[in-house]
Each structure stands twice: as structure tokens, then as C-alpha cells.
Amino acid sequence: MPIEWNEEQKLFHLYNGRISYMMQLVHGKYLAHLYWGSRVQLLQPLAILPFKVRTFSPMNEPADPRFSLDTLPQEYPAFGNGDFRTPAYQLQSSDGSTVTEFVYDSYAIFKGKPRLNGLPMVYVEDDDEADTLVITLVDSILGVGLNLHYTIYRDFDVITRSVSFENLGSREVKIEKSMSMSVDFHNSKWDWLHLQGTWARERQIERRPLIHGVQSISSARGASSHQHNPFLALLSKDATEEYGDVYGISLVYSGNFKATIEVDPFEITRINMGINPFNFSWLLKPGEIFQTPEALMVYSSEGLGGMSRIFHKIIRSRVCRGVYRDRTRPILINNWEATYFHFTEKKLRDLADAAKELGIELFVLDDGWFGRRDNAKSSLGDWVVNRKKLPNGLNGLASYINGKEMQFGLWVEPEMVSPDSDLYRRHPDWCLHVPGRNRTLSRNQLVLDLSRDDVCDWLIETFTNLFQSAPIRYVKWDMNRNMTEVGSALLPSEGQKETAHRYMLGLYRVLEVLTERFPEILFESCSGGGGRFDLGMLYYMPQTWTSDDTDAVERLKIQYGTSIVYPAITMGAHVSDIPNHQTGRMTPLEMRCHVAMAANLGFELNIDKLSKEDKELVGREIQLYHQIKEIVLFGDLYRLWSPFEGMDTAWMYVGRGQRQAVVFYYKTLATPNPPFLRMKLRGLNPQLRYKINDDGQVFYGDELMKMGLNLPLIKTDFFSEIYHLKAVDFKEISENF
């Protein structure tokens, strides 16, 4: 897993057993991108970078008229000194100019990976896991150092990148753009894929060809957003789920972001991603350092599925942290759709009693337990128990739940404040606002200004006291609106465009303290469902509420799209009531269970009102989930049939050692006189024999992968089936016949 510097060829080579990433110094000062992909050896690097005079491309080296930054594939390009394409950064000096020229100064190679100050990151547990390269460029006129950080892992086919700017001079410099990464690919014959959506329709897959010019995705909402996930991928034209070159990039950040792809006239494709430069700037004072968020970059030669499995493995083990990282999660019941705001302690106890009978392990009390919170119009910020609803307090309810041998969990929305609250009446300046401007409400609430240390300190103290007040073992951390009037009462005029990023730094500080103080609490992040489903939040909270849309049919697309980047163990999925509260659709209880069982299983309905038959079904599905959850949550995912392409959806998880697998099959709408369907499985050991569902037939792995599994003819809408495959030896087969 070394990083090599070839002095003679001026070449940096990062590699492990499977991938290579190469850069080269041109004319001793310009850092050019050579290659990123499958592991290669290189004898003639100069042959990779041909040069030619291009009309209207400026000559940056008079002695070499063929050389121009406008046509050079670069590692971290600027604008203003010859390159007219999308820049990775832009700085403004004290005289107002934005021209920079960072040239190579030095490099350092070391084992391991340092922490990023105040930011989430992909981490190491041992220095032997990874090597890090830092390349330093300097603009001597500006007096600023630019450090490009690269880390390559031994056991993961990934590169992480980030950038830091250091003011080495005596004058202030304003950062107006600072991407976390930039790569120039040497051709443009790609498709690109991203995950778009909105509330209740998050992470819908969209794939389309690249075109000349600029295409981009972004968020300026103060969160990574429902609309665009901070991820994109480049795919070779022939790439499928299991074949072809795929490059995936995901930003370890939860705030405003932008990802841009530009194809120039000479078929070079430039990608960069980082903090959204819109409404952003950062005043860098002498001696100060600005650190960008980190980008996680994945290459796979085995299609989208291969890319996803790489993302899943590193996210599970080197993004998520804490005691729950390697644990299966308790099956929960959330009271929200069963009661909304209108509950009593007796209602909650009755719901818990019914849940316990079915084998549910965790009871979660959702919104409405604090202040005067009988609707969404008041009390955010007043985190005091409503004794009218809970006369025995949180501790009394939690003790009752614990007496049932169930854990107790709680919903909170710490980042928000209601105008109708004691907190707002005491501190009206604590929300994001601009003096003299209207304070726009969304869901009858405002956003607390987490760029302020006093607000963050208050949050830490308040929620430390709250989490200590009862035996709380799960917290759903919600955030139900995006930012408007993004300004801070404490920042000077020249620092107002720093507010959104300082907010994220403040949030990360709060989360770091609280998750360290309460390691036995399982934190689940939420933002109106999946509006902040990103690697930044997963660094602190190892799972996310995937969507407020609990309809089983819609969840097929949402969970399928989410799986492009994120593993099943990061997804919260609940079985809810019918008609579904978001779509009005009627789906069988079995299908609702089977969709939710492909992630962290939970329930969000009045179980006490289920029929005897439905309660028995739920009990059976919970027993099945206990048998398969290790495979689902820690296994390798293979997406078989896409819900974006037809009425049939299928995916499967293969456990460690390939001795067990779980296949999920769903049909949304039946068709008359249907054909026979045969589903080819993936990821199995071709030499092993697999028994299906214990009492089923036995097949070789290669039979199932090459010939397929016959599916039943379906004459009903909304059908689902789970197939549990177990490897068996010859002796066991003989005894069964």
C-alpha cells in the first residue's frame, strides 16, 4: 500500500494491490493528473501527457509553446492564469484581485491518517491501514500555502482527498471557493449518475450521458438535502451492475455542497466537489488554516454493484463509529403514526405492552412529549417534560418500558426553536436571522444559530441533562427545515458568508461531545426523513431515517437508490399502517415487513389494533428477521432487478464466507398471463450447495448464478418473498433424501 515518489520522472504513485492513482510534476511546478483506476505499472509517464499548441489557449511557459494550463489535466486547478475551465478554488487578495499561481513546493509521506480538525472523516484504527501524502503548493506573492491531502488504504479500493489553505503572510486573504477534490479524466465517453429527489422521494437514481459544457448538482439549503445527495459517479458507457468502470465520489459533509462536471472541447472531463461556493466566503487571517471537508473516492472495475460494495464496506467500518458500529440494531416501535401528538402515558404503555408480545425490543417516544407541544406550533427549545401527558416523567415511562425488558428511546429536534417558546422569548437573537428582514417560518419553526459558541454550549448542557434524566438507549435526532435568512448576530459583516459552514462546524462539535458522553445511546439522524443522509452525519450517528415515506412500494425505489452508496445497516425502515399516510396505498402487511426487513427493522403503527392473524404474521417475520439480520446488515449487497425499470424488484445479501445469503423479491403490479421468471443470483460460491428456506430444494451456487431461481407465477398485486439460502455439506443432503 505504498506511496512512491519517483524523483527522475517527477511522479507520485499511490497504489495498493488493486488500484493506482498517479500525478506528475510538469516543468517542475505544475501538478498534472495522470491516472486513476486499476493497478498499473508505468515506465513511460511522459507518453501519457502529449502537448500541442491550441489556438486561444495561453502559453504558460514561453520556452514551451505547446504547454498551457488550459489543456493540462490538473490535480487542483485555478482560474485566472490560463485555465478557462471550472476551477477547484478561488482566493481574493487584499487588493481585490483573484489571480493566483500556486506552484509545487514540497511533499511529505507518512503512515496512517491524521484527524481533520472539527470535521468528520474516513478514519483509521491502525497506522498500518493507510498511507498519506501531503503535497504543498505555495503562492509566494499571496503568501498562502496550499496542502493537498491524499490517503490510500491497504484493504479498500479508495482514495480520500481534502485540501487545507494556510495563510503564511501578513495580510488577510478571502477564500471564495475551495473544493475538496478535483480530477481531470482523459476522455469524455462517460455516463454520469446521481441521486435526486425531494421530501418523501429521496435518492431516485438518474443516469444520463455527459455533454460538452457544465453539468452539476448542489444544495444551498444548509443541509445536504432531499433534492441532491452529495454523491456522483462516472460510468463507462457499457457499465452495468456487475460490469464496467465506475468512479464514485461522496463528500463527507452535511451542509451546502456542489459537484460539477465539465467536458471541454478536447474531451477532458473535469470533476470537482466540495462546499458550495454560492453565498460562501471565508476570511483567512495571518497564521490561520482553513480545512475543507473530505471526499471519499471509489473506483470499481465491477460496475455499480462493485462500487457500492466498496462504499458499503468502508462506510460500515471506517466512517461509522462507536459501540453500535459492529452491532445489529434492536427492532423498534415508534409511536408517531400510531398517536401523532395525541397520546397519554396509558396509550404509550398499551402500545409497549402489545409490542413486547410480538418480540419488539425498543420503544421510541416521538414528538409531543415536552413543553406545551400538542401540535407543531410551539415549544421547540423548551426541553422539559409535559407532565400533563407524562405525569411520571420520562423516567417513569422509561422504567415501565425497561420493566418489560425493552429499551427506551426518544425523539428530539435540538437544532430548532419555535417562536412560541420560552427559549425564543429569552433569546430571540439565537436563531439564524438578518436584522430588519422577515424571519421565514417553515413548519412553524426557526433554526438555531449553531455558528455561535454560546448556542452550542447551551445545546450540549441541555441535552446532557436530558439524556441523563432517564435510561435512554436510542435518540432520533431530527431537523425538519432548511435554512433561510442565513446570518449570525455575532459575526462581523465580512464574515456573514461564513455562517452556513460555521453552523456545520458547530453542529459537529455538539455531536462529537454528546456521542462521546453517551456511547451506549444509539443515535439515528433524521431531517424530514432522508434530507441529511450523508457521510458527515454517519460519522456521528451510525444510522439515518431513510425517508418519511413508509409506503412499501415507494420504499423500494428509495432504499434501492440509497444502497448505491449507503449500506443497509445505515438505513432505518419501518412497517406502517394502511392506507399509507403518505400515499394512501394499500399494501399487504407481509410486503411492508419484507421491505423494512432489508434494513434496520422497525414498526410505526398501532400494533394493538392488528388482527390476531396479523399479529401472528408480525411475530413470524420478526423471528425470520433475527435469523437473517446479520447477513442483511453486514453482508455484501447484489442488486438484481431495479424498481426503476419494471414491476419486479430484487436484491440479495451474501454473508461472510458465502455460506448464507438472503434474497428479497417484490412484485408491485401483477400482469395477466405472465411469463415464467427466472432470477439469476450473484455473489455465491459456485462450488457450494445451498438449501433454500430450510425445507426447500438444494442447488449448487453456479446453478443459481448461471441458470437462475424459478419464481412462482403471481396473480396478485404487491407480492413479496424472502429466500434464505444456507450452504449444506454432502452428508446433510444425503440424510434429507
Side-chain angles (χ1 to χ4, degrees), residues 332 334-337 362 364-367 369 383 408-414 463 467 472-480 521-530 541 543-548 550 555 572 574 604:
L332 65 82
N334 183 300
N335 73 294
W336 180 242
E337 289 195 11
L362 167 66
V364 179
L365 175 58
D366 211 282
D367 197 356
W369 59 266
W383 299 104
F408 177 69
L410 193 65
W411 175 96
V412 294
E413 193 170 4
F463 286 91
F467 298 157
I472 297 168
R473 289 296 175 264
Y474 165 100
V475 167
K476 181 178 178 180
W477 185 292
D478 211 342
M479 185 248 198
N480 275 314
I521 290 179
L522 170 59
F523 285 89
E524 179 179 84
S525 67
C526 176
S527 179
M541 304 183 178
Q543 67 185 54
T544 300
W545 178 226
T546 313
S547 176
D548 280 347
T550 55
R555 270 298 186 110
H574 294 177
E604 195 164 331

Side-chain angles (χ1 to χ4, degrees), residues 327-346:
R327 292 183 187 174
T328 58
R329 314 291 161 73
I331 301 170
L332 65 82
I333 176 77
N334 183 300
N335 73 294
W336 180 242
E337 289 195 11
T339 69
Y340 292 100
F341 291 105
H342 311 298
F343 58 81
T344 63
E345 187 166 328
K346 183 181 184 306

Side-chain angles (χ1 to χ4, degrees), residues 294-403:
E294 187 168 73
L296 174 58
M297 302 164 51
V298 167
Y299 165 74
S300 169
S301 62
E302 298 178 349
L304 267 174
M307 180 206 71
S308 295
R309 289 186 286 276
I310 296 169
F311 269 122
H312 295 177
K313 288 176 182 178
I314 197 163
I315 290 169
R316 281 197 303 256
S317 62
R318 291 299 179 267
V319 175
C320 296
R321 301 182 298 165
V323 298
Y324 287 96
R325 185 191 74 177
D326 302 321
R327 292 183 187 174
T328 58
R329 314 291 161 73
I331 301 170
L332 65 82
I333 176 77
N334 183 300
N335 73 294
W336 180 242
E337 289 195 11
T339 69
Y340 292 100
F341 291 105
H342 311 298
F343 58 81
T344 63
E345 187 166 328
K346 183 181 184 306
K347 280 187 179 180
L348 298 178
R349 289 187 176 197
D350 290 345
L351 186 60
D353 292 344
K356 174 61 181 176
E357 291 179 4
L358 298 180
I360 292 173
E361 303 160 308
L362 167 66
F363 182 93
V364 179
L365 175 58
D366 211 282
D367 197 356
W369 59 266
F370 54 93
R372 294 175 290 102
R373 186 78 164 173
D374 295 322
N375 51 52
K377 296 180 180 179
S378 75
S379 300
L380 289 174
D382 298 341
W383 299 104
V384 179
V385 179
N386 183 333
R387 291 281 177 169
K388 291 182 179 180
K389 292 182 178 180
L390 301 176
N392 297 299
L394 288 178
N395 193 50
L397 178 62
S399 296
Y400 181 84
I401 301 296
N402 291 166

Side-chain angles (χ1 to χ4, degrees), residues 52 54 57 66 68-73 85 264 266 268:
K52 183 183 186 301
R54 300 285 190 185
S57 290
R66 303 171 306 153
S68 175
L69 292 175
D70 191 39
T71 57
L72 182 71
R85 297 165 294 177
D264 76 6
F266 305 111
I268 291 178

